[in-house]
Amino acid sequence: MVNDTMEHVDPRLEEGVWTVGPDGDLIPDYESTFPTINEGEVVHGTVVRVDRDEVLVDIGYKSEGVIPVAELSIRRSINPADEVSVGDEIDALVLTKEDAEGRLILSKKRARFELAWKRIEVAAESGEPVNGNVIEVVKGGLILDLGVRGFLPASLVDIRRVQDLDEFMGKELRCKVIELNRSRNNVVLSRRAVLEDERKEMRQAILDRLNPGDVVDGQISNIVDFGAFVDLDGMDGLIHISELSWSHVNHPSEILEIGQDVKVKVLDIDRDRQRISLGLKQTQSDPWQQVLDAYHVDDVVEGRVTKVVTFGAFVEILPGVEGLVHISELAQHHVENPREVVSQGDAVNVVVLEVDAERRRLSLSLKRVEEGAQPLPRPDGAPSVHETPHLQLSEEAFPAGSAVVEEAEAVELEAVEAEAEAIEVEVVPADVEPEAEAEIAEPVAEQVADSEPEAAEPEPEPGETA
């Protein structure tokens, strides 16, 4: 009997199109045509209507889903029409299958949150950056839309501190996830980490491209007391103050300014520490080479007195090249004080006594210039120092014997004496070994011996200077 009943089951029931109603009649099985959905599930649908306070979405269910405006985006106070349009296909998370009014309640922002959170978790584990648009400027940083609200602290926005965060509003930024807390829905980002990685790769590319001896173009990015930094298309190299010019430089700002374009020579590359040493003077003509090519011993040359010290006077014969006229070579008669013969700024003719190319030192004589001797033409093509006036204070403005002049001379004398003492005395560090101390003392003794005449000789040899 049972078998007969089974054999006579209406085949339409097996197809899932019809079902048996409460009174035993066959009725259409509408329920079987709807998908099975559960709360917390992400579904896919099409926007069919956009209202001011909600959006209707067709997900193929028995009723259209409703997305309240508060569930559209993580942004605050939005216009639904700015987020979605009719016909858009979107993902939404099922909040409630049936509310008090029997509606299916969905959330677009929570569906995006779930999908985004999984992506952020993967990025945090792998160290890969994530992209997000800046949607808010808050106290202490920026808020990025990652599908999740991500916080970018102001100190991590750039490598250098940013003064105005408003300039990033609406921009897409690439950041690394440095902190993730699901229980608090907390995501902390760092754009600085991405920039540092990019800079590291850029530095390596620059280091791979450069070699010592290369001459490259750059721009002065910073000036400090000990030199200047040059931006070489993304990496800074240092020009030490000693490599700025062939002549003496008191401070780099005397010859350079920030933003100035320069041509520099690569002196050394420390690839392990990613540091580049540069030279500016190496791209300019060496005035010492001009001296070697144009001047020889016994030549009469012209110059200007740049400094007067107790043991003689320094004379600049070319820009960046100074020689020493020892006190014994200033005049035919005995000189107690070099200021009796020359003053700073005087234009003079001198005889070349010695040229030490290796040590870059020049010894000159003023007393050996014969009367009427004409100096050789300047190899740099500059006008004669005798034709170029040197600006000095007028005696009419400060007559001899005035308090101002006497005070100035006293100050100058003290400075010169202090400088002479500094030249004649070398302080040896306490931690220098005895052998090293002897090596330091030897050249100092030579310098003092060169700069002061020996008592046993009637006419001491002149000293030398760098």
Side-chain angles (χ1 to χ4, degrees), residues 411-455:
V411 172
E412 183 181 13
L413 181 58
E414 290 178 3
V416 169
E417 291 175 349
E419 183 177 32
E421 291 177 2
I423 293 174
E424 296 173 1
V425 179
E426 181 75 296
V427 178
V428 179
D431 57 348
V432 176
E433 296 295 331
E435 294 81 356
E437 182 176 347
E439 294 177 0
I440 294 174
E442 183 178 355
V444 174
E446 291 180 1
Q447 184 177 2
V448 175
D450 289 342
S451 60
E452 296 186 356
E454 296 179 3

mmCIF file of all heavy atoms in Angstrom, residues 411-455:
data_model
loop_
_atom_site.group_PDB
_atom_site.id
_atom_site.type_symbol
_atom_site.label_atom_id
_atom_site.label_comp_id
_atom_site.label_asym_id
_atom_site.label_seq_id
_atom_site.Cartn_x
_atom_site.Cartn_y
_atom_site.Cartn_z
ATOM 1 N N VAL A 411 92.929 96.112 19.817
ATOM 2 C CA VAL A 411 92.160 94.877 19.607
ATOM 3 C C VAL A 411 92.807 94.014 18.544
ATOM 4 O O VAL A 411 92.940 92.796 18.673
ATOM 5 C CB VAL A 411 90.699 95.221 19.219
ATOM 6 C CG1 VAL A 411 89.955 93.957 18.799
ATOM 7 C CG2 VAL A 411 89.998 95.894 20.376
ATOM 8 N N GLU A 412 93.264 94.669 17.443
ATOM 9 C CA GLU A 412 93.893 93.921 16.364
ATOM 10 C C GLU A 412 95.189 93.269 16.838
ATOM 11 O O GLU A 412 95.488 92.125 16.511
ATOM 12 C CB GLU A 412 94.174 94.849 15.182
ATOM 13 C CG GLU A 412 94.760 94.115 13.978
ATOM 14 C CD GLU A 412 95.048 95.079 12.851
ATOM 15 O OE1 GLU A 412 95.027 96.300 13.081
ATOM 16 O OE2 GLU A 412 95.309 94.607 11.731
ATOM 17 N N LEU A 413 95.987 94.005 17.650
ATOM 18 C CA LEU A 413 97.246 93.467 18.142
ATOM 19 C C LEU A 413 96.999 92.245 19.027
ATOM 20 O O LEU A 413 97.702 91.240 18.921
ATOM 21 C CB LEU A 413 98.004 94.555 18.924
ATOM 22 C CG LEU A 413 99.372 94.142 19.490
ATOM 23 C CD1 LEU A 413 100.286 93.683 18.362
ATOM 24 C CD2 LEU A 413 100.005 95.287 20.260
ATOM 25 N N GLU A 414 95.989 92.334 19.895
ATOM 26 C CA GLU A 414 95.668 91.183 20.753
ATOM 27 C C GLU A 414 95.275 89.970 19.916
ATOM 28 O O GLU A 414 95.683 88.842 20.194
ATOM 29 C CB GLU A 414 94.527 91.559 21.698
ATOM 30 C CG GLU A 414 94.925 92.561 22.773
ATOM 31 C CD GLU A 414 93.747 92.932 23.660
ATOM 32 O OE1 GLU A 414 92.660 92.355 23.452
ATOM 33 O OE2 GLU A 414 93.912 93.786 24.531
ATOM 34 N N ALA A 415 94.465 90.189 18.866
ATOM 35 C CA ALA A 415 94.020 89.080 18.016
ATOM 36 C C ALA A 415 95.190 88.447 17.288
ATOM 37 O O ALA A 415 95.305 87.231 17.175
ATOM 38 C CB ALA A 415 92.980 89.576 17.008
ATOM 39 N N VAL A 416 96.124 89.305 16.800
ATOM 40 C CA VAL A 416 97.284 88.788 16.072
ATOM 41 C C VAL A 416 98.183 87.982 16.990
ATOM 42 O O VAL A 416 98.670 86.905 16.652
ATOM 43 C CB VAL A 416 98.057 89.940 15.417
ATOM 44 C CG1 VAL A 416 99.403 89.447 14.900
ATOM 45 C CG2 VAL A 416 97.251 90.541 14.296
ATOM 46 N N GLU A 417 98.414 88.517 18.233
ATOM 47 C CA GLU A 417 99.265 87.801 19.175
ATOM 48 C C GLU A 417 98.648 86.462 19.561
ATOM 49 O O GLU A 417 99.347 85.446 19.665
ATOM 50 C CB GLU A 417 99.492 88.674 20.417
ATOM 51 C CG GLU A 417 100.368 89.894 20.143
ATOM 52 C CD GLU A 417 100.466 90.794 21.364
ATOM 53 O OE1 GLU A 417 99.690 90.569 22.322
ATOM 54 O OE2 GLU A 417 101.296 91.695 21.354
ATOM 55 N N ALA A 418 97.345 86.450 19.749
ATOM 56 C CA ALA A 418 96.666 85.189 20.083
ATOM 57 C C ALA A 418 96.781 84.209 18.928
ATOM 58 O O ALA A 418 96.980 83.014 19.125
ATOM 59 C CB ALA A 418 95.195 85.464 20.403
ATOM 60 N N GLU A 419 96.664 84.736 17.708
ATOM 61 C CA GLU A 419 96.768 83.860 16.537
ATOM 62 C C GLU A 419 98.177 83.299 16.399
ATOM 63 O O GLU A 419 98.374 82.129 16.081
ATOM 64 C CB GLU A 419 96.381 84.638 15.286
ATOM 65 C CG GLU A 419 96.384 83.777 14.034
ATOM 66 C CD GLU A 419 95.917 84.569 12.829
ATOM 67 O OE1 GLU A 419 96.159 85.783 12.782
ATOM 68 O OE2 GLU A 419 95.315 83.950 11.957
ATOM 69 N N ALA A 420 99.188 84.142 16.656
ATOM 70 C CA ALA A 420 100.567 83.681 16.570
ATOM 71 C C ALA A 420 100.830 82.598 17.597
ATOM 72 O O ALA A 420 101.499 81.604 17.320
ATOM 73 C CB ALA A 420 101.527 84.844 16.770
ATOM 74 N N GLU A 421 100.277 82.792 18.821
ATOM 75 C CA GLU A 421 100.453 81.770 19.858
ATOM 76 C C GLU A 421 99.781 80.470 19.450
ATOM 77 O O GLU A 421 100.304 79.387 19.695
ATOM 78 C CB GLU A 421 99.874 82.277 21.183
ATOM 79 C CG GLU A 421 100.671 83.419 21.793
ATOM 80 C CD GLU A 421 100.001 83.932 23.065
ATOM 81 O OE1 GLU A 421 98.958 83.355 23.439
ATOM 82 O OE2 GLU A 421 100.528 84.890 23.642
ATOM 83 N N ALA A 422 98.613 80.575 18.800
ATOM 84 C CA ALA A 422 97.904 79.369 18.361
ATOM 85 C C ALA A 422 98.686 78.638 17.295
ATOM 86 O O ALA A 422 98.689 77.418 17.217
ATOM 87 C CB ALA A 422 96.515 79.743 17.829
ATOM 88 N N ILE A 423 99.392 79.429 16.441
ATOM 89 C CA ILE A 423 100.174 78.798 15.379
ATOM 90 C C ILE A 423 101.407 78.113 15.948
ATOM 91 O O ILE A 423 101.797 77.018 15.534
ATOM 92 C CB ILE A 423 100.603 79.845 14.332
ATOM 93 C CG1 ILE A 423 99.351 80.367 13.601
ATOM 94 C CG2 ILE A 423 101.598 79.270 13.339
ATOM 95 C CD1 ILE A 423 99.647 81.502 12.660
ATOM 96 N N GLU A 424 102.061 78.775 16.970
ATOM 97 C CA GLU A 424 103.321 78.264 17.473
ATOM 98 C C GLU A 424 103.144 77.142 18.486
ATOM 99 O O GLU A 424 104.083 76.411 18.774
ATOM 100 C CB GLU A 424 104.099 79.409 18.124
ATOM 101 C CG GLU A 424 104.489 80.496 17.112
ATOM 102 C CD GLU A 424 105.117 81.694 17.796
ATOM 103 O OE1 GLU A 424 105.260 81.653 19.019
ATOM 104 O OE2 GLU A 424 105.452 82.655 17.102
ATOM 105 N N VAL A 425 101.929 77.003 19.075
ATOM 106 C CA VAL A 425 101.710 75.978 20.091
ATOM 107 C C VAL A 425 100.672 75.002 19.598
ATOM 108 O O VAL A 425 99.598 75.401 19.191
ATOM 109 C CB VAL A 425 101.238 76.610 21.422
ATOM 110 C CG1 VAL A 425 101.001 75.520 22.455
ATOM 111 C CG2 VAL A 425 102.277 77.598 21.928
ATOM 112 N N GLU A 426 100.989 73.750 19.651
ATOM 113 C CA GLU A 426 100.058 72.684 19.229
ATOM 114 C C GLU A 426 99.682 71.888 20.456
ATOM 115 O O GLU A 426 100.543 71.380 21.172
ATOM 116 C CB GLU A 426 100.729 71.771 18.197
ATOM 117 C CG GLU A 426 99.851 70.667 17.673
ATOM 118 C CD GLU A 426 98.821 71.199 16.694
ATOM 119 O OE1 GLU A 426 97.988 71.981 17.094
ATOM 120 O OE2 GLU A 426 98.832 70.848 15.547
ATOM 121 N N VAL A 427 98.375 71.751 20.724
ATOM 122 C CA VAL A 427 97.901 70.981 21.862
ATOM 123 C C VAL A 427 97.725 69.543 21.431
ATOM 124 O O VAL A 427 97.024 69.258 20.472
ATOM 125 C CB VAL A 427 96.558 71.543 22.380
ATOM 126 C CG1 VAL A 427 96.058 70.684 23.536
ATOM 127 C CG2 VAL A 427 96.740 72.985 22.831
ATOM 128 N N VAL A 428 98.371 68.615 22.159
ATOM 129 C CA VAL A 428 98.291 67.196 21.827
ATOM 130 C C VAL A 428 97.238 66.550 22.712
ATOM 131 O O VAL A 428 97.270 66.727 23.930
ATOM 132 C CB VAL A 428 99.648 66.509 22.059
ATOM 133 C CG1 VAL A 428 99.549 65.025 21.722
ATOM 134 C CG2 VAL A 428 100.713 67.179 21.223
ATOM 135 N N PRO A 429 96.240 65.847 22.137
ATOM 136 C CA PRO A 429 95.210 65.203 22.951
ATOM 137 C C PRO A 429 95.820 64.261 23.971
ATOM 138 O O PRO A 429 96.852 63.631 23.740
ATOM 139 C CB PRO A 429 94.369 64.434 21.914
ATOM 140 C CG PRO A 429 94.644 65.125 20.632
ATOM 141 C CD PRO A 429 96.053 65.619 20.716
ATOM 142 N N ALA A 430 95.143 64.126 25.138
ATOM 143 C CA ALA A 430 95.667 63.314 26.228
ATOM 144 C C ALA A 430 95.723 61.846 25.904
ATOM 145 O O ALA A 430 96.522 61.101 26.446
ATOM 146 C CB ALA A 430 94.806 63.543 27.482
ATOM 147 N N ASP A 431 94.846 61.426 24.981
ATOM 148 C CA ASP A 431 94.798 59.990 24.689
ATOM 149 C C ASP A 431 95.728 59.583 23.549
ATOM 150 O O ASP A 431 95.671 58.467 23.067
ATOM 151 C CB ASP A 431 93.358 59.583 24.337
ATOM 152 C CG ASP A 431 92.803 60.375 23.171
ATOM 153 O OD1 ASP A 431 93.447 61.370 22.797
ATOM 154 O OD2 ASP A 431 91.737 60.007 22.658
ATOM 155 N N VAL A 432 96.616 60.492 23.083
ATOM 156 C CA VAL A 432 97.536 60.160 22.010
ATOM 157 C C VAL A 432 98.706 59.358 22.575
ATOM 158 O O VAL A 432 99.266 59.703 23.611
ATOM 159 C CB VAL A 432 98.053 61.450 21.326
ATOM 160 C CG1 VAL A 432 99.083 61.114 20.275
ATOM 161 C CG2 VAL A 432 96.884 62.216 20.730
ATOM 162 N N GLU A 433 99.077 58.313 21.905
ATOM 163 C CA GLU A 433 100.197 57.483 22.332
ATOM 164 C C GLU A 433 101.510 58.255 22.208
ATOM 165 O O GLU A 433 101.622 59.200 21.408
ATOM 166 C CB GLU A 433 100.267 56.226 21.464
ATOM 167 C CG GLU A 433 99.050 55.317 21.621
ATOM 168 C CD GLU A 433 98.958 54.728 23.023
ATOM 169 O OE1 GLU A 433 100.022 54.544 23.670
ATOM 170 O OE2 GLU A 433 97.838 54.474 23.478
ATOM 171 N N PRO A 434 102.557 57.873 22.978
ATOM 172 C CA PRO A 434 103.837 58.601 22.905
ATOM 173 C C PRO A 434 104.395 58.661 21.493
ATOM 174 O O PRO A 434 104.915 59.676 21.066
ATOM 175 C CB PRO A 434 104.744 57.791 23.844
ATOM 176 C CG PRO A 434 103.790 57.137 24.810
ATOM 177 C CD PRO A 434 102.548 56.851 24.033
ATOM 178 N N GLU A 435 104.271 57.541 20.750
ATOM 179 C CA GLU A 435 104.800 57.531 19.388
ATOM 180 C C GLU A 435 104.051 58.529 18.516
ATOM 181 O O GLU A 435 104.634 59.271 17.727
ATOM 182 C CB GLU A 435 104.708 56.125 18.780
ATOM 183 C CG GLU A 435 105.591 55.086 19.457
ATOM 184 C CD GLU A 435 104.958 54.520 20.737
ATOM 185 O OE1 GLU A 435 103.874 55.000 21.107
ATOM 186 O OE2 GLU A 435 105.573 53.622 21.341
ATOM 187 N N ALA A 436 102.705 58.520 18.675
ATOM 188 C CA ALA A 436 101.901 59.439 17.874
ATOM 189 C C ALA A 436 102.183 60.882 18.264
ATOM 190 O O ALA A 436 102.172 61.788 17.439
ATOM 191 C CB ALA A 436 100.419 59.127 18.060
ATOM 192 N N GLU A 437 102.451 61.117 19.570
ATOM 193 C CA GLU A 437 102.734 62.466 20.050
ATOM 194 C C GLU A 437 104.010 63.000 19.418
ATOM 195 O O GLU A 437 104.097 64.168 19.035
ATOM 196 C CB GLU A 437 102.841 62.451 21.563
ATOM 197 C CG GLU A 437 103.086 63.841 22.161
ATOM 198 C CD GLU A 437 103.076 63.789 23.678
ATOM 199 O OE1 GLU A 437 102.638 62.769 24.220
ATOM 200 O OE2 GLU A 437 103.507 64.766 24.295
ATOM 201 N N ALA A 438 104.989 62.110 19.275
ATOM 202 C CA ALA A 438 106.242 62.530 18.645
ATOM 203 C C ALA A 438 106.018 62.905 17.197
ATOM 204 O O ALA A 438 106.593 63.861 16.690
ATOM 205 C CB ALA A 438 107.278 61.391 18.756
ATOM 206 N N GLU A 439 105.121 62.126 16.517
ATOM 207 C CA GLU A 439 104.848 62.428 15.108
ATOM 208 C C GLU A 439 104.146 63.769 14.959
ATOM 209 O O GLU A 439 104.358 64.507 14.010
ATOM 210 C CB GLU A 439 103.988 61.311 14.506
ATOM 211 C CG GLU A 439 104.718 59.971 14.437
ATOM 212 C CD GLU A 439 103.805 58.875 13.893
ATOM 213 O OE1 GLU A 439 102.645 59.190 13.599
ATOM 214 O OE2 GLU A 439 104.269 57.742 13.763
ATOM 215 N N ILE A 440 103.287 64.104 15.934
ATOM 216 C CA ILE A 440 102.580 65.378 15.875
ATOM 217 C C ILE A 440 103.536 66.529 16.178
ATOM 218 O O ILE A 440 103.526 67.569 15.542
ATOM 219 C CB ILE A 440 101.410 65.390 16.879
ATOM 220 C CG1 ILE A 440 100.356 64.365 16.450
ATOM 221 C CG2 ILE A 440 100.789 66.778 16.999
ATOM 222 C CD1 ILE A 440 99.236 64.201 17.456
ATOM 223 N N ALA A 441 104.405 66.323 17.157
ATOM 224 C CA ALA A 441 105.289 67.398 17.588
ATOM 225 C C ALA A 441 106.307 67.766 16.521
ATOM 226 O O ALA A 441 106.702 68.915 16.408
ATOM 227 C CB ALA A 441 106.017 66.985 18.871
ATOM 228 N N GLU A 442 106.720 66.764 15.717
ATOM 229 C CA GLU A 442 107.781 67.016 14.742
ATOM 230 C C GLU A 442 107.386 68.074 13.716
ATOM 231 O O GLU A 442 108.115 69.049 13.522
ATOM 232 C CB GLU A 442 108.168 65.713 14.065
ATOM 233 C CG GLU A 442 109.326 65.896 13.091
ATOM 234 C CD GLU A 442 109.724 64.570 12.480
ATOM 235 O OE1 GLU A 442 109.162 63.541 12.883
ATOM 236 O OE2 GLU A 442 110.588 64.584 11.600
ATOM 237 N N PRO A 443 106.228 67.934 13.030
ATOM 238 C CA PRO A 443 105.886 68.993 12.056
ATOM 239 C C PRO A 443 105.626 70.332 12.712
ATOM 240 O O PRO A 443 105.852 71.384 12.117
ATOM 241 C CB PRO A 443 104.613 68.459 11.391
ATOM 242 C CG PRO A 443 104.079 67.422 12.336
ATOM 243 C CD PRO A 443 105.273 66.836 13.024
ATOM 244 N N VAL A 444 105.143 70.338 13.981
ATOM 245 C CA VAL A 444 104.934 71.607 14.676
ATOM 246 C C VAL A 444 106.264 72.302 14.910
ATOM 247 O O VAL A 444 106.409 73.508 14.722
ATOM 248 C CB VAL A 444 104.199 71.368 16.020
ATOM 249 C CG1 VAL A 444 104.108 72.675 16.802
ATOM 250 C CG2 VAL A 444 102.828 70.790 15.762
ATOM 251 N N ALA A 445 107.257 71.503 15.311
ATOM 252 C CA ALA A 445 108.584 72.077 15.537
ATOM 253 C C ALA A 445 109.154 72.644 14.250
ATOM 254 O O ALA A 445 109.787 73.706 14.243
ATOM 255 C CB ALA A 445 109.518 71.004 16.113
ATOM 256 N N GLU A 446 108.905 71.926 13.141
ATOM 257 C CA GLU A 446 109.382 72.413 11.856
ATOM 258 C C GLU A 446 108.746 73.758 11.515
ATOM 259 O O GLU A 446 109.396 74.671 11.034
ATOM 260 C CB GLU A 446 109.078 71.401 10.757
ATOM 261 C CG GLU A 446 109.903 70.125 10.865
ATOM 262 C CD GLU A 446 109.550 69.175 9.747
ATOM 263 O OE1 GLU A 446 108.702 69.553 8.931
ATOM 264 O OE2 GLU A 446 110.115 68.095 9.698
ATOM 265 N N GLN A 447 107.413 73.848 11.792
ATOM 266 C CA GLN A 447 106.705 75.080 11.447
ATOM 267 C C GLN A 447 107.229 76.261 12.257
ATOM 268 O O GLN A 447 107.436 77.348 11.746
ATOM 269 C CB GLN A 447 105.206 74.906 11.688
ATOM 270 C CG GLN A 447 104.388 76.108 11.268
ATOM 271 C CD GLN A 447 102.914 75.860 11.463
ATOM 272 O OE1 GLN A 447 102.533 74.816 11.934
ATOM 273 N NE2 GLN A 447 102.110 76.841 11.101
ATOM 274 N N VAL A 448 107.469 76.031 13.570
ATOM 275 C CA VAL A 448 107.990 77.103 14.418
ATOM 276 C C VAL A 448 109.387 77.485 13.989
ATOM 277 O O VAL A 448 109.751 78.654 13.932
ATOM 278 C CB VAL A 448 107.965 76.669 15.902
ATOM 279 C CG1 VAL A 448 108.622 77.724 16.778
ATOM 280 C CG2 VAL A 448 106.539 76.410 16.344
ATOM 281 N N ALA A 449 110.198 76.453 13.666
ATOM 282 C CA ALA A 449 111.572 76.726 13.237
ATOM 283 C C ALA A 449 111.589 77.522 11.951
ATOM 284 O O ALA A 449 112.415 78.411 11.749
ATOM 285 C CB ALA A 449 112.340 75.407 13.076
ATOM 286 N N ASP A 450 110.628 77.176 11.026
ATOM 287 C CA ASP A 450 110.565 77.897 9.760
ATOM 288 C C ASP A 450 110.106 79.332 9.953
ATOM 289 O O ASP A 450 110.488 80.235 9.213
ATOM 290 C CB ASP A 450 109.612 77.186 8.796
ATOM 291 C CG ASP A 450 110.214 75.871 8.303
ATOM 292 O OD1 ASP A 450 111.434 75.723 8.441
ATOM 293 O OD2 ASP A 450 109.448 75.036 7.776
ATOM 294 N N SER A 451 109.227 79.536 10.951
ATOM 295 C CA SER A 451 108.621 80.862 11.099
ATOM 296 C C SER A 451 109.462 81.814 11.935
ATOM 297 O O SER A 451 109.217 83.005 11.941
ATOM 298 C CB SER A 451 107.223 80.724 11.727
ATOM 299 O OG SER A 451 107.336 80.118 13.001
ATOM 300 N N GLU A 452 110.478 81.313 12.699
ATOM 301 C CA GLU A 452 111.321 82.195 13.491
ATOM 302 C C GLU A 452 112.798 81.967 13.148
ATOM 303 O O GLU A 452 113.263 80.826 13.075
ATOM 304 C CB GLU A 452 111.097 81.933 14.982
ATOM 305 C CG GLU A 452 109.681 82.270 15.440
ATOM 306 C CD GLU A 452 109.539 82.136 16.944
ATOM 307 O OE1 GLU A 452 110.522 81.710 17.581
ATOM 308 O OE2 GLU A 452 108.458 82.460 17.463
ATOM 309 N N PRO A 453 113.577 83.022 12.924
ATOM 310 C CA PRO A 453 114.988 82.864 12.534
ATOM 311 C C PRO A 453 115.818 82.315 13.683
ATOM 312 O O PRO A 453 115.538 82.540 14.850
ATOM 313 C CB PRO A 453 115.407 84.295 12.175
ATOM 314 C CG PRO A 453 114.466 85.160 12.954
ATOM 315 C CD PRO A 453 113.158 84.418 13.011
ATOM 316 N N GLU A 454 116.833 81.540 13.326
ATOM 317 C CA GLU A 454 117.743 80.995 14.322
ATOM 318 C C GLU A 454 118.770 82.070 14.704
ATOM 319 O O GLU A 454 119.260 82.842 13.885
ATOM 320 C CB GLU A 454 118.455 79.772 13.747
ATOM 321 C CG GLU A 454 117.490 78.627 13.437
ATOM 322 C CD GLU A 454 118.226 77.446 12.841
ATOM 323 O OE1 GLU A 454 119.470 77.519 12.736
ATOM 324 O OE2 GLU A 454 117.573 76.479 12.489
ATOM 325 N N ALA A 455 119.156 82.076 15.987
ATOM 326 C CA ALA A 455 120.067 83.117 16.478
ATOM 327 C C ALA A 455 121.469 82.957 15.925
ATOM 328 O O ALA A 455 122.201 83.914 15.788
ATOM 329 C CB ALA A 455 120.114 83.081 18.002
#
